[in-house]
């Protein structure tokens, strides 16, 4: 269980790093803010259209008498919206990292540099890095979709569906958030998706300690925007420890005058 606290510690250290380096924090806000605006619009649209979607999907209940018709469709409407929030939380990080690829790559490098030791670089062109990041994110999201459908179905189980399943949902969300966020630093270290998944499975409790509090915080509007820079910084610190990066010397983080050398 000490790994659980260690994972949370990386999250806290990452937030401290980001808030202590104002310009990097400001640049890290931009991709998250853009993604938030898009997602907020999508969730508002889902909120207005969820009842129509449920009515379309349950024509067999049109002739049901009250209160059974209302109970069924109102319950399904709530579940659809909860599923929408679940998917939004899961995909928010992937989309933000994709939109802000050069920002977060440079932020992660700055964290490595400030901690001392070697600063790994992938050596790949920007568009190649972007393609790999998008491809790996889709693979992770496919896994998330499987869990999401399963948890959605289990949500219909009385009592368990309203207590245990939401808790499991946040654990799944947090674990995959950690996978997404550590990918920035681990990909620079030459680790492919399969190796990254094996690495995190070996430190599952640390991954949960890092990701679950973040998943809970991401449910609150606008919080995700302000936590993203620190989340990337914390994930980089975590990646350094998981890959046993040396930290022989500390240097001040450079100012983000140039996001990419190429």
């Amino acid at each position: 269980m000490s790994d659980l606290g260690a994972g949370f510690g990386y999250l806290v250290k990452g937030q401290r790093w980001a808030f202590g380096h104002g310009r990097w924090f400001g640049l890290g806000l931009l991709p998250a803010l853009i993604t938030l605006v898009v997602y907020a619009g999508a969730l508002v649209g889902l909120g207005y259209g969820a009842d129509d979607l449920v009515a379309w999907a349950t024509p067999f209940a049109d002739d049901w008498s009250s209160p059974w018709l209302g109970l069924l469709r109102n319950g399904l409407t709530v579940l659809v919206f909860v599923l929408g929030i679940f998917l939004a939380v899961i995909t928010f990080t992937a989309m933000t990292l994709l939109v802000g690829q050069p920002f977060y790559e440079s932020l992660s490098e700055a964290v490595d540099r400030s901690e001392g030791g070697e600063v790994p670089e992938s050596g790949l062109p920007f568009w190649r890095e972007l393609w790999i990041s998008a491809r790996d994110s889709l693979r992770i999201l496919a896994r998330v979709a499987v869990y999401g459908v399963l948890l959605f179905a289990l949500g219909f189980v009385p009592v368990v569906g309203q207590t245990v399943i939401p808790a499991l949902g946040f654990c799944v969300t947090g674990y995959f958030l950690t996978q997404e966020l550590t990918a920035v630093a681990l990909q620079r270290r030459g680790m492919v998706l399969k190796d990254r998944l094996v690495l995190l499975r070996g430190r599952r409790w640390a991954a949960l300690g890092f990701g679950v509090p973040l998943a809970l915080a991401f449910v609150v509007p606008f919080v995700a925007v302000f936590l993203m820079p620190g989340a990337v910084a914390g994930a980089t610190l975590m990646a350094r420890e998981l890959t046993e990066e040396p930290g022989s010397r500390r240097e001040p983080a450079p100012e983000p005058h140039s996001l990419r050398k190429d």
Side-chain angles (χ1 to χ4, degrees), residues 182-212:
T182 53
V184 177
L186 294 177
Q187 186 174 311
R188 284 194 296 109
R189 286 161 167 78
M191 296 190 69
V192 298
L193 176 61
K194 180 180 179 180
D195 294 334
R196 299 199 303 263
L197 295 178
V198 170
L199 182 68
L200 286 177
R201 277 199 294 269
R203 297 291 297 278
R204 188 175 285 108
W205 283 109
L208 290 172
F210 183 90
V212 172

Side-chain angles (χ1 to χ4, degrees), residues 18-19 21-30 107 225-227 229-230:
F19 281 103
H21 297 79
R23 292 190 180 182
W24 286 112
F25 177 74
L27 284 173
L29 292 179
L30 294 177
L107 190 156
V225 173
F226 291 99
L227 293 185

Side-chain angles (χ1 to χ4, degrees), residues 59-218:
F60 58 86
D62 287 342
D63 298 329
W64 287 15
S65 59
S66 181
W68 306 115
L69 176 61
L71 288 174
L72 173 69
R73 288 184 171 171
N74 289 337
L76 288 178
T77 299
V78 171
L79 285 174
V80 166
F81 192 71
V82 169
L83 179 62
I85 294 175
F86 172 78
L87 293 176
V89 171
I90 283 293
T91 60
F92 178 85
T93 300
M95 290 303 300
T96 302
L97 293 175
L98 191 62
V99 170
Q101 177 78 10
F103 297 93
Y104 294 129
E105 285 281 353
S106 298
L107 190 156
S108 180
E109 288 179 10
V111 173
D112 270 326
R113 193 169 290 110
S114 70
E115 291 297 303
E118 182 184 357
V119 180
E121 295 184 6
S122 68
L124 298 174
F126 167 65
W127 292 109
R128 176 65 176 167
E129 288 182 351
L130 189 65
W131 161 248
I132 293 174
S133 178
R135 181 195 64 191
D136 290 349
S137 292
L138 286 175
R139 290 175 176 176
I140 290 176
L141 291 176
R143 291 175 168 86
V144 174
V146 173
Y147 281 101
V149 171
L150 178 61
L151 292 172
F152 179 75
L154 291 175
F156 290 97
V157 178
V159 182
V160 174
Q162 291 74 48
T163 54
V164 177
I165 299 306
L168 286 176
F170 278 111
C171 289
V172 170
T173 301
Y175 187 72
F176 283 108
L177 280 178
T178 304
Q179 288 186 356
E180 286 284 358
L181 288 162
T182 53
V184 177
L186 294 177
Q187 186 174 311
R188 284 194 296 109
R189 286 161 167 78
M191 296 190 69
V192 298
L193 176 61
K194 180 180 179 180
D195 294 334
R196 299 199 303 263
L197 295 178
V198 170
L199 182 68
L200 286 177
R201 277 199 294 269
R203 297 291 297 278
R204 188 175 285 108
W205 283 109
L208 290 172
F210 183 90
V212 172
L214 203 58
L216 291 168
F218 275 17

